[in-house]
Amino acid sequence: MSTKPTTTDLEWTELDERAVDTARILAADAVQKVGNGHPGTAMSLAPAAYTLFQKVMRHDPSDTDWTGRDRFVLSAGHSSLTQYIQLYLAGSGLELDDLKAFRTWGSKTPGHPEYGHTAGIETTTGPLGQGVANAVGMAMAARYERGLFDPEAAAGTSPFDHYIYCIAGDGCLQEGISAEASSLAGHQKLGNLILLWDDNHISIEGDTETAVSEDTVKRYEAYGWHVQRVAPKENGDLDVHALYAAIQAAKEVTDRPSFIAMRTIIAWPAPNAQNTEAAHGSALGDDEVAATKRVLGFDPEKTFEVSDEVLAHTRGAVDRGREAHAAWDKRLGEWRSANPERAAEFDRIAKGELPAGWEEKLPVFETGKGVATRAASGKVLQALGAVIPELWGGSADLAGSNNTTIDKTSSFLPEGNPLPEADPYGRTIHFGIREHSMAAEMNGIALHGNTRIYGGTFLVFSDYMRNAVRLSALMQLPVTYVWTHDSIGLGEDGPTHQPVEHLASLRAIPGLNVVRPADANETAIAWGEILKRHATRPAPHGLALTRQGVPTYPANPDAARGGYVLRDSSTETPEVILIATGSEVHLAVEARERLEAEGVGTRVVSMPSVEWFEEQEQAYRASVLPPSVKARVAVEAGIGLTWYRYVGDAGRIVSLEHFGASADAGTLFARYGFTPENVAAAARESLAAVRG
């Protein structure tokens, strides 16, 4: 899969050495100017980052979104200057004034790298270990993309062959998410992934002997990675020639991901700050910055010193990038000529468009029949999988429960895997019992581009995933989380598996759309809306789906608006409105029948997505929830935090403000008041409150 290197010899001149030293000084000056930040790692990593950006990676500084580029992930996101300085030197859009504005309001150089904010930043990093999992996801996506467009090409010959490079620190590799992701990467034999470990032995609390004693390199050997160590030079600085040779050797290994341990000294060559925890997250101080400049032959009285010769030398990356881009365009043109149908598919997918007629494949379910929404979701995926080849995904070892198997005959597994359905370009991903890394890998897949990814687990385990889900929302990535077993309705597994606070907690994440459909038809409509939004309004979505069967109602396209009138009042203006989601909608419908029989005009509003509903124009929202109707009841089998703004002072909420228990679903719903009778009683209370 990987393009083989042509040489292991590194061209390295005095200007290259001066450029690396310039990067060290810029890191020290930028942190010193703002008064806070992480100078030490950016100083010691300067040789590695420079080698990648100037000598190794295929990238075009004039087009940072080029499809054919190698990807770079700085998992050690606190050392953002490591990347910013290389983007500046290479000419990717940052200038010296941007480095001077580091960590200040409105700058292009925030404290941690932010995707979509700064050109050339492939992913938002900072929460340690996330970038490792992002990189694994990108490597998976690169392989799947190749399978979509050029599966027969010999290794290293396809325009879709490229590498994913990641720099991680000690903290990244202590986080459990990196272990989860690295285990999967080894199992998947991702030969297009190269991870560089900044082994500097320092964390915030000092020497890593305080917390770590395992042999990390042997750990990666056990994961199935190709591993190498790069020893420092005698003076303690990173040996760029040894590093370059190690990278070239890694490229020769196409059947395993590669792990390169780089022994560095944090803040090298600062005379007093090097190899100290203070250099990790604090400015060095004016005296130490000046002393470091003297060591490196810079004027201690000058700040942000970059010679014209150095900048002209490093900006040569622009011409080299354009040449590489042109060569790639030629190869892509040859591929287009040989593969016109695949080329048309590539163009469609790259634009974020869906194939013609895809909506006709969305199933419409028979009304009245009880269907679990997780089962309906599975049928939707299988129906759409046949016509949307870029749609793929899987589960954290719960596929049979989550109904996430898009194609049971095709599993995304490497060559040599003994399972009969194994296919390196397969549709169904087996993430393993690794929920946290699954979510971050999904982010990496989405960031890589040209596919549409989903992943499933139980809703209660969204807790394991939360930081990665938050980053999905922060980056506005079109990933879809399939969270099943969404309430006490899962039954006998008990309170450890019954989500109570999760819906409200997830709705609290800005930019995450939580969708809890009432029935099979709402589930199909929800999937359709999510897919439509992929290119026009990208955002992560979480589908909360039932284990138990629920009644099926006629399909209503207004479900895609987040909230709509499912059953209207017999009176022109309803006296009371019942708002419900998911498996509680049918309770509201049955409660309405009781209230209408008593002569109370009752409207039922199904609200599968609060976020979608809030996007609608005020006139539509008012037509669904007329402000004049003060008697309201919200019904949801979870804590009621979401619903206070909708029910008002006179309203009532039928919710669950405590953990569940181990019993069958019917018993639990009855015991905890999720019955038509109790919903009707709450409506009467609300009416009484309105009437005073």
Side-chain angles (χ1 to χ4, degrees):
M1 175 174 291
S2 305
T3 305
K4 292 190 175 183
T6 57
T7 179
T8 58
D9 295 326
L10 172 64
E11 270 190 38
W12 195 263
T13 67
E14 289 184 8
L15 270 177
D16 291 314
E17 196 67 35
R18 190 64 173 174
V20 168
D21 290 342
T22 298
R24 301 186 208 268
I25 294 305
L26 289 174
D29 277 342
V31 174
Q32 193 64 29
K33 182 176 185 295
V34 73
N36 55 79
H38 301 79
T41 303
M43 294 169 68
S44 54
L45 277 180
Y50 182 86
T51 300
L52 284 174
F53 276 81
Q54 294 286 332
K55 306 294 184 178
V56 173
M57 291 197 305
R58 184 176 70 189
H59 67 116
D60 181 357
S62 63
D63 183 2
T64 56
D65 295 325
W66 169 32
T67 297
R69 71 193 184 280
D70 291 335
R71 271 67 165 178
F72 173 76
V73 175
L74 182 65
S75 189
H78 59 277
S79 186
S80 55
L81 281 166
T82 295
Q83 190 166 9
Y84 294 151
I85 291 167
Q86 296 308 321
L87 292 174
Y88 157 62
L89 291 174
S92 296
L94 292 182
E95 296 299 342
L96 199 57
D97 283 345
D98 296 310
L99 300 182
K100 293 177 181 178
F102 179 55
R103 294 171 76 101
T104 61
W105 175 263
S107 78
K108 296 179 182 179
T109 50
H112 292 82
E114 296 181 21
Y115 169 75
H117 184 80
T118 309
I121 300 297
E122 301 280 6
T123 179
T124 298
T125 55
L128 294 178
Q130 290 283 332
V132 174
N134 292 164
V136 171
M138 290 178 185
M140 293 168 68
R143 190 169 92 195
Y144 188 75
E145 177 189 50
R146 191 188 202 277
L148 281 177
F149 304 126
D150 205 13
E152 296 90 4
T157 66
S158 172
F160 300 99
D161 288 336
H162 53 270
Y163 291 98
I164 315 300
Y165 295 93
C166 178
I167 290 181
D170 292 303
C172 292
L173 299 195
Q174 289 178 44
E175 288 284 2
I177 186 174
S178 65
E180 293 179 18
S182 298
S183 173
L184 180 62
H187 179 70
Q188 286 288 353
K189 300 182 179 180
L190 299 174
N192 55 353
L193 173 61
I194 299 176
L195 174 60
L196 282 67
W197 172 38
D198 178 30
D199 178 21
N200 66 31
H201 293 202
I202 293 292
S203 63
I204 292 175
E205 293 186 3
D207 194 301
T208 52
E209 286 291 338
T210 58
V212 180
S213 56
E214 78 260 19
D215 187 326
T216 302
V217 172
K218 287 184 177 178
R219 179 155 66 91
Y220 272 79
E221 282 182 347
Y223 289 145
W225 290 54
H226 169 248
V227 302
Q228 300 173 83
R229 288 186 185 272
V230 174
K233 296 189 290 188
E234 287 186 9
N235 64 3
D237 193 14
L238 182 65
D239 186 338
V240 293
H241 293 276
L243 174 61
Y244 184 80
I247 293 171
Q248 301 309 314
K251 288 183 175 183
E252 294 281 0
V253 179
T254 62
D255 63 348
R256 284 174 291 166
S258 287
F259 180 82
I260 300 173
M262 308 178 299
R263 182 67 176 100
T264 65
I265 296 176
I266 195 169
W268 192 94
N272 303 298
Q274 65 176 278
N275 207 33
T276 67
E277 61 267 29
H280 167 84
S282 302
L284 300 182
D286 289 333
D287 291 343
E288 186 71 0
V289 171
T292 304
K293 290 177 180 178
R294 291 188 188 98
V295 169
L296 294 174
F298 285 73
D299 186 342
E301 300 301 320
K302 293 182 179 179
T303 59
F304 296 94
E305 183 181 352
V306 183
S307 72
D308 293 341
E309 294 83 2
V310 162
L311 194 59
H313 180 65
T314 61
R315 291 283 168 97
V318 174
D319 290 336
R320 293 193 299 273
R322 286 174 176 155
E323 289 172 7
H325 197 154
W328 181 86
D329 283 341
K330 182 180 178 182
R331 292 170 66 197
L332 188 70
E334 293 167 352
W335 168 81
R336 284 182 177 279
S337 298
N339 301 273
E341 291 185 5
R342 285 177 179 166
E345 195 84 310
F346 170 75
D347 292 337
R348 174 187 67 76
I349 292 171
K351 292 175 185 174
E353 297 174 353
L354 289 162
W358 71 275
E359 285 186 275
E360 297 170 9
K361 300 297 182 180
L362 281 169
V364 178
F365 294 88
E366 180 184 347
T367 59
K369 188 176 181 181
V371 178
T373 54
R374 63 168 177 160
S377 173
K379 291 184 184 300
V380 171
L381 284 173
Q382 290 177 3
L384 294 181
V387 294
I388 307 178
E390 65 270 29
L391 180 65
W392 65 315
S395 168
D397 200 57
L398 288 169
S401 294
N402 300 148
N403 294 95
T404 50
T405 301
I406 195 167
D407 184 349
K408 64 182 179 181
T409 68
S410 173
S411 288
F412 184 80
L413 290 167
E415 291 181 7
N417 187 284
L419 295 178
E421 65 271 21
D423 178 351
Y425 308 129
R427 297 291 295 278
T428 297
I429 305 173
H430 305 278
F431 288 101
I433 308 167
R434 308 179 180 100
E435 296 90 349
H436 193 185
S437 72
M438 175 180 73
E441 287 148 10
M442 290 165 64
N443 287 344
I445 290 169
L447 287 160
H448 181 275
N450 289 340
T451 70
R452 296 173 181 244
I453 186 66
Y454 65 86
T457 187
F458 291 169
L459 179 58
V460 75
F461 299 138
S462 63
D463 281 343
Y464 282 155
M465 310 164 71
R466 188 177 181 88
N467 190 256
V469 174
R470 183 177 185 271
L471 287 168
S472 302
L474 185 60
M475 291 186 273
Q476 286 296 278
L477 301 180
V479 301
T480 304
Y481 298 105
V482 180
W483 289 316
T484 70
H485 296 57
D486 68 345
S487 75
I488 54 171
L490 66 87
E492 292 84 351
D493 275 341
T496 61
H497 282 54
Q498 292 166 0
V500 174
E501 74 277 23
H502 297 73
L503 290 167
S505 176
L506 290 164
R507 288 176 183 137
I509 298 176
L512 173 66
N513 296 329
V514 179
V515 188
R516 190 171 186 240
D519 67 352
N521 282 323
E522 275 193 16
T523 303
I525 291 167
W527 265 114
E529 178 66 11
I530 289 169
L531 291 171
K532 288 176 187 175
R533 288 169 170 249
H534 181 96
T536 57
R537 285 181 285 182
H541 287 83
L543 279 166
L545 305 172
T546 68
R547 173 184 184 267
Q548 73 276 25
V550 289
T552 304
Y553 300 105
N556 188 327
D558 280 344
R561 304 185 78 167
Y564 68 103
V565 178
L566 176 65
R567 292 283 188 274
D568 212 350
S569 166
S570 58
T571 56
E572 184 175 351
T573 300
E575 296 176 70
V576 63
I577 299 174
L578 309 180
I579 310 167
T581 76
S583 55
E584 290 72 73
V585 169
H586 77 93
L587 301 178
V589 170
E590 293 175 36
R592 173 190 173 277
E593 293 173 2
R594 286 167 168 74
L595 292 165
E596 286 282 351
E598 297 169 12
V600 178
T602 306
R603 170 180 289 183
V604 175
V605 170
S606 176
M607 194 173 289
S609 177
V610 170
E611 294 81 14
W612 288 354
F613 185 69
E614 290 297 327
E615 290 177 4
Q616 307 305 314
E617 65 277 10
Q618 174 60 28
Y620 175 78
R621 286 183 280 133
S623 72
V624 175
L625 299 175
S628 61
V629 182
K630 305 295 184 183
R632 299 181 181 187
V633 177
V635 191
E636 188 169 71
I639 66 169
L641 196 61
T642 300
W643 302 108
Y644 288 97
R645 60 174 160 164
Y646 290 107
V647 300
D649 292 342
R652 297 292 184 267
I653 301 172
V654 179
S655 62
L656 190 65
E657 304 298 326
H658 52 78
F659 295 117
S662 181
D664 66 274
T667 297
L668 292 173
F669 273 92
R671 289 277 185 175
Y672 295 144
F674 292 97
T675 64
E677 294 82 4
N678 195 44
V679 174
R684 295 185 196 102
E685 288 182 18
S686 182
L687 281 164
V690 170
R691 294 165 181 163

